[in-house]
Amino acid sequence: MFSQAAKTTARGFIRGLSTTAQNNSRVAVLGASGGIGQPLSLLLKNSPLISELHLFDVHLTPGVAADLSHIETRAKVQGYLGPDQLADCLKGSEVVVIPAGVPRKPGMTRDDLFNTNASIVATLTEACAKHCPEAMICIIANPVNSTIPITSEVFKKHGVYNPNRIFGVTTLDIVRANTFVAELKGLDPARVNIPVIGGHAGKTIIPLISQSTPKVEFPQDQLEALVGRIQEAGTEVVKAKAGSGSATLSMAYAGARFAFSLLDAMNGKEGVIECAFVRSEETESPYFSTPLLLGKNGIEKNLGLGNLSAYEEKIVGEALAELKGSIKKGEDFVKNRK
């Protein structure tokens, strides 16, 4: 299901370089000094796809930018500090990646993050709507099931909404599914493709093992355990870090993979496919993650759910109520925001 471009990007990371030809793109990272932002910015700096890398945060960005600027790759790095410099960071940006926000801690759900991160995402995406309304907006900040509806409603308020350019980055779910299946089957994870649909929290994360490339099969009990592990993999990391943070390095990798696929497609590469949480008519949920064919203007075609097994149909059905609730929560937040 996934494009060769996406998998080439994954293998390119192993060698420490993106394998795609040189291009000129300006990318902004909002929240660049945080646990995800710093390694994400490092990976982006390493890419020949990017000519200008703008880093924004409310602390530390001059130092992060100075550090990255010494790396022997072509992207010119500039740091922007605080709200007064946000507009300058965003002007002319073609892709904006937003990992800003507070991380999960033990005992917290993604929904617990809502109050803090909703305000952060609304403020940052409002600036995007004003200063780079045609940019591709890639939201990493959780809870993605709510922050994407927030972003959409903010862009609607400013009259610049284009659903083909707003993405909830769910790529880490795909990366985890590929890795866990490869471990169980003794495969090279860079050559495993598992679509993951639905949302980006708990039971809304729906890995389609039946659509795996190469084809794999598991007994039902092992399949359910695997799906459960993929759904709760973020909690696995939060617990392992024992209060010191959440999944930052793997999320940075996944965010960079998505950004590179998007830049490839914007630069004219054909057949680039990634899953993302987007405005959708594929189910009764108004937003839903499915494989997307990416192009110069963002989403070229939603490839839908494909053929599901009976078990997959069941867990899709079970996810819809939670998903719709999270979406409404995000939409209501913007409606009630002063």
Side-chain angles (χ1 to χ4, degrees):
M1 176 63 81
F2 290 97
S3 64
Q4 189 55 41
K7 299 312 292 182
T8 299
T9 299
R11 288 195 292 275
F13 275 138
I14 296 168
R15 294 187 294 276
L17 291 170
S18 172
T19 56
T20 315
Q22 181 169 303
N23 284 287
N24 296 304
S25 297
R26 179 181 290 180
V27 175
V29 179
L30 310 185
S33 298
I36 297 168
Q38 289 202 39
L40 171 62
S41 299
L42 172 62
L43 292 170
L44 296 176
K45 170 69 171 116
N46 204 33
S47 173
L49 290 168
I50 298 168
S51 55
E52 291 184 60
L53 183 61
H54 287 192
L55 308 181
F56 171 84
D57 214 319
V58 293
H59 64 117
L60 302 179
T61 21
V64 174
D67 196 355
L68 289 177
S69 72
H70 294 180
I71 293 172
E72 55 181 357
T73 55
R74 65 190 289 264
K76 292 181 180 176
V77 184
Q78 287 185 262
Y80 298 85
L81 184 66
D84 293 345
Q85 297 184 11
L86 180 55
D88 288 338
C89 174
L90 291 171
K91 286 172 184 171
S93 293
E94 294 154 274
V95 175
V96 180
V97 189
I98 306 183
V102 297
R104 270 207 296 164
K105 294 179 180 175
M108 290 177 73
T109 65
R110 286 183 176 87
D111 220 40
D112 292 332
L113 302 176
F114 181 87
N115 290 333
T116 299
N117 286 0
S119 295
I120 292 170
V121 169
T123 299
L124 294 176
T125 55
E126 190 164 46
C128 294
K130 290 177 181 176
H131 302 296
C132 56
E134 295 187 0
M136 306 293 177
I137 309 297
C138 306
I139 305 290
I140 291 172
N142 274 315
V144 164
N145 293 356
S146 298
T147 55
I148 284 298
I150 286 171
T151 302
S152 297
E153 293 304 311
V154 166
F155 270 66
K156 286 177 189 175
K157 276 194 169 183
H158 287 271
V160 292
Y161 178 56
N162 183 342
N164 293 328
R165 291 173 177 262
I166 296 175
F167 302 90
V169 180
T170 62
T171 315
L172 183 51
D173 298 326
I174 292 88
V175 167
R176 286 167 167 160
N178 293 346
T179 300
F180 298 165
V181 167
E183 286 173 355
L184 291 170
K185 293 296 185 181
L187 300 169
D188 176 358
R191 298 185 182 279
V192 176
N193 298 326
I194 312 278
V196 181
I197 64 169
H200 186 55
K203 69 180 182 181
T204 70
I205 299 168
I206 303 161
L208 301 183
I209 308 299
S210 72
Q211 295 182 23
S212 170
T213 305
K215 187 170 177 57
V216 296
E217 292 182 349
F218 297 95
Q220 187 63 25
D221 60 340
Q222 195 177 3
L223 175 63
E224 291 180 13
L226 171 62
V227 168
R229 187 184 177 204
I230 294 164
Q231 291 176 334
E232 295 302 326
T235 303
E236 185 179 311
V237 176
V238 169
K239 287 179 179 176
K241 289 191 173 182
S244 66
S246 58
T248 52
L249 302 176
S250 52
M251 185 61 248
Y253 168 90
R257 168 179 150 167
F258 184 82
F260 295 157
S261 289
L262 189 54
L263 287 165
D264 275 339
M266 291 167 66
N267 288 323
K269 180 168 270 192
E270 296 183 353
V272 179
I273 298 170
E274 289 280 5
C275 292
F277 187 67
V278 297
R279 183 76 192 180
S280 174
E281 297 178 355
E282 297 300 317
T283 69
E284 63 189 66
S285 173
Y287 295 84
F288 203 82
S289 180
T290 43
L292 308 169
L293 178 64
L294 301 175
K296 291 186 176 182
N297 297 306
I299 301 171
E300 197 163 288
K301 184 179 181 183
N302 192 319
L303 301 179
L305 284 69
N307 295 321
L308 305 184
S309 69
Y311 171 64
E312 289 162 354
E313 286 182 357
K314 173 176 170 282
I315 57 177
V316 167
E318 291 171 349
L320 288 173
E322 179 181 327
L323 203 47
K324 289 191 286 186
S326 297
I327 291 164
K328 186 175 186 301
K329 190 173 182 179
E331 291 174 338
D332 288 348
F333 176 83
V334 178
K335 287 172 187 169
N336 298 326
R337 188 169 180 254
K338 293 178 182 178

